[in-house]
């Protein structure tokens, strides 16, 4: 069994029936609020793509996509890891203008995930993307969008707490901005995740910026694929979760690479061969819009807002038998 944490004396504030009602409340209200704040239109999106398109998200470069053959076709299809690249392509294809954007429900299978309280093989998130001007590729744009997303989360939590007794609002009033280098400077003797834990215990909510780049120590705070986020202009929205006493990531996002940062980052990552893929050629030839976008975990947001100890309490997935037994013995009812 992978490592899981059992909160002392845990019991869910909601039974299984009310949990289902609350999940729908969270999802309905949040996506409506998010779309209004960021001017997003809901669109349909693929569950799988062809590997040769270059549209799949390679994550840290080591996760294996789930692939399958299709009758009558020479190439296998891959289940998406996320829609980070597809969304930018879709904004161009669908004719979105500056200041407009899209969002969609994304589901993925991450077969190499280490399972614990907050990680599952099944991934569901709101993937969103919006068109910006080249001169908006700056820190001020990133921070403004982060604040809008965080405010949408806080507004959703207030609605949920008003409808369901016993739920606790854990959102800090404000979100604090910090770079990965600043975290390393603050906690040089700690591993990256413990740096996040210490910082979030103090501040409650943080936008952790510049993920993927090499720090002064020669290490990286965390991995990030080199061909969608600009490592100087990306971020995670992370909150402190008292129930599990840990930093709890709700969103990964960023301003996307332009033609210059794409070349620089794939060369640094040692995967310059990707520049031959169709998607990457379109960026180099300036045929795709400049964008900002990200993913917001649906199950993560529900778990946090509904004060659940395990992500399996708010989503359907597959878990090891010993984890199921351990959770059952601790009053954690996996779906």
């Amino acid at each position: 069994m992978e490592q899981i944490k059992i909160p002392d004396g845990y019991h869910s504030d909601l039974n299984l029936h009310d949990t289902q009602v609350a999940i729908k409340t969270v999802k309905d209200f949040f996506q409506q609020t998010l779309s209004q704040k960021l001017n997003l239109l809901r669109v349909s999106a693929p569950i799988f793509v062809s590997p040769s398109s270059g549209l799949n998200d390679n994550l840290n470069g080591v996760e294996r996509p789930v692939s399958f053959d299709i009758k009558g076709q020479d190439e296998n299809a891959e289940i998406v890891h996320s829609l980070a690249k597809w969304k930018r392509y879709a904004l161009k294809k669908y004719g979105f203008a500056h200041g407009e954007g899209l969002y969609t429900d994304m589901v993925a299978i991450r077969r190499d995930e280490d399972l614990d309280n907050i990680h599952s093989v099944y991934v569901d998130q709101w993937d969103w993307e919006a068109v910006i001007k080249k001169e908006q590729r700056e820190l001020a744009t990133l921070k403004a969008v982060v604040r809008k997303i965080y405010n949408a989360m806080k507004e959703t939590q207030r609605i949920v707490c008003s409808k369901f007794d016993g739920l606790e609002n854990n959102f800090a009033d404000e979100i604090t901005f910090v770079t990965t280098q600043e975290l390393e400077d603050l906690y040089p003797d700690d591993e990256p995740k413990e740096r996040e834990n210490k910082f979030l215990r103090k501040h409650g909510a943080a936008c952790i910026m510049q993920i993927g780049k090499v720090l002064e120590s020669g290490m990286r705070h965390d991995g990030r694929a080199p061909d969608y986020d600009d490592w100087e202009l990306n971020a995670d929205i992370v909150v402190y979760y008292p129930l599990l006493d840990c930093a709890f990531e709700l969103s990964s996002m960023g301003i996307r690479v332009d033609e210059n940062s794409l070349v620089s980052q794939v060369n640094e990552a040692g995967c310059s061969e990707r520049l031959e893929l169709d998607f990457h050629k379109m960026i180099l030839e300036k045929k795709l819009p400049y964008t900002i976008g990200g993913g917001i975990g649906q199950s993560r947001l529900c778990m946090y807002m509904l004060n659940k100890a395990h992500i399996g309490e708010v989503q359907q997935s597959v878990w090891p038998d010993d984890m199921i037994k351990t959770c059952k013995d601790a009053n954690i009812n996996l779906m």
Side-chain angles (χ1 to χ4, degrees):
M1 182 179 66
E2 302 295 345
Q3 183 66 37
I4 64 170
K5 182 181 292 187
I6 305 298
D8 292 337
Y10 175 75
H11 72 279
S12 175
D13 295 312
L14 302 173
N15 61 33
L16 289 175
H17 177 275
D18 290 346
T19 294
Q20 293 295 325
V21 177
I23 289 170
K24 187 174 189 303
T25 301
V26 171
K27 292 186 176 184
D28 287 351
F29 187 86
F30 178 76
Q31 66 184 3
Q32 180 182 11
T33 305
L34 181 73
S35 65
Q36 291 172 348
K37 288 183 179 294
L38 298 184
N39 192 29
L40 306 177
L41 174 70
R42 191 189 183 283
V43 301
S44 300
I47 299 175
F48 46 86
V49 294
S50 64
S52 61
S53 69
L55 289 174
N56 206 354
D57 178 0
N58 298 97
L59 300 177
N60 293 314
V62 296
E63 295 87 351
R64 300 170 299 157
V66 175
S67 64
F68 59 95
D69 63 285
I70 300 175
K71 182 179 179 180
Q73 296 192 25
D74 295 331
E75 185 179 28
N76 281 8
E78 288 181 353
I79 304 293
V80 296
H81 275 143
S82 84
L83 297 171
K85 299 172 186 174
W86 176 86
K87 294 175 296 180
R88 188 171 180 179
Y89 171 75
L91 288 171
K92 167 72 173 179
K93 182 176 181 180
Y94 298 164
F96 281 79
H98 167 252
E100 299 176 340
L102 59 82
Y103 79 95
T104 189
D105 290 291
M106 190 284 298
V107 294
I109 300 172
R110 296 187 182 171
R111 63 197 293 189
D112 293 317
E113 197 71 78
D114 293 325
L115 306 183
D116 56 24
N117 295 69
I118 62 176
H119 292 94
S120 171
V121 173
Y122 174 79
V123 178
D124 56 342
Q125 64 185 33
W126 292 283
D127 256 318
W128 66 273
E129 198 86 9
V131 180
I132 60 175
K133 297 179 179 179
K134 185 174 179 62
E135 56 267 28
Q136 290 179 291
R137 300 187 70 258
E138 59 179 8
L139 191 58
T141 301
L142 178 67
K143 288 184 175 182
V145 173
V146 165
R147 289 190 178 99
K148 289 180 180 180
I149 295 172
Y150 188 67
N151 286 336
M153 292 176 178
K154 291 198 301 178
E155 290 174 21
T156 303
Q157 181 71 93
R158 286 194 291 268
I159 291 295
V160 173
C161 286
S162 71
K163 291 181 177 293
F164 300 92
D165 293 334
L167 295 181
E168 184 177 357
N169 185 350
N170 294 315
F171 281 97
D173 291 337
E174 301 292 336
I175 188 166
T176 302
F177 293 86
V178 63
T179 67
T180 52
Q181 185 59 59
E182 288 170 336
L183 284 178
E184 183 179 72
D185 294 342
L186 285 169
Y187 312 108
D189 298 326
D190 292 314
E191 295 296 317
K193 289 305 177 186
E194 185 55 30
R195 292 172 193 160
E196 293 186 10
N197 288 337
K198 288 184 176 180
F199 191 83
L200 268 298
R201 288 185 189 114
K202 181 177 180 180
H203 295 279
C207 172
I208 300 175
M209 301 177 292
Q210 299 180 352
I211 299 168
K213 62 184 293 186
V214 176
L215 304 176
E216 291 179 4
S217 64
M219 306 297 289
R220 300 177 192 271
H221 181 83
D222 200 356
R224 196 80 127 215
D227 48 0
Y228 60 93
D229 278 353
D230 188 319
W231 290 342
E232 295 290 337
L233 295 168
N234 66 8
D236 285 347
I237 297 177
V238 186
V239 293
Y240 175 64
Y241 196 14
L243 183 63
L244 298 179
D245 185 31
C246 69
F248 191 87
E249 180 188 326
L250 293 175
S251 175
S252 175
M253 58 175 290
I255 292 174
R256 305 311 192 188
V257 291
D258 64 6
E259 57 278 6
N260 297 317
S261 56
L262 172 62
V263 173
S264 174
Q265 290 181 184
V266 297
N267 284 337
E268 182 178 335
C271 54
S272 58
E273 70 280 358
R274 294 187 192 178
L275 298 178
E276 298 301 316
L277 297 172
D278 292 342
F279 173 80
H280 302 68
K281 288 180 179 179
M282 294 180 74
I283 295 176
L284 296 176
E285 296 167 3
K286 302 181 182 181
K287 293 181 179 179
L288 293 178
Y290 299 107
T291 64
I292 183 172
I296 302 166
Q298 295 189 17
S299 290
R300 286 278 186 96
L301 197 63
C302 290
M303 179 183 171
Y304 186 75
M305 290 188 176
L306 305 183
N307 296 328
K308 299 291 189 177
H310 196 289
I311 199 167
E313 295 179 271
V314 295
Q315 66 160 230
Q316 296 281 353
S317 188
V318 175
W319 310 99
D321 290 341
D322 50 354
M323 182 179 287
I324 294 173
K325 182 181 185 305
T326 298
C327 288
K328 183 177 181 180
D329 292 343
N331 296 317
I332 298 174
N333 295 314
L334 304 181
M335 288 187 180

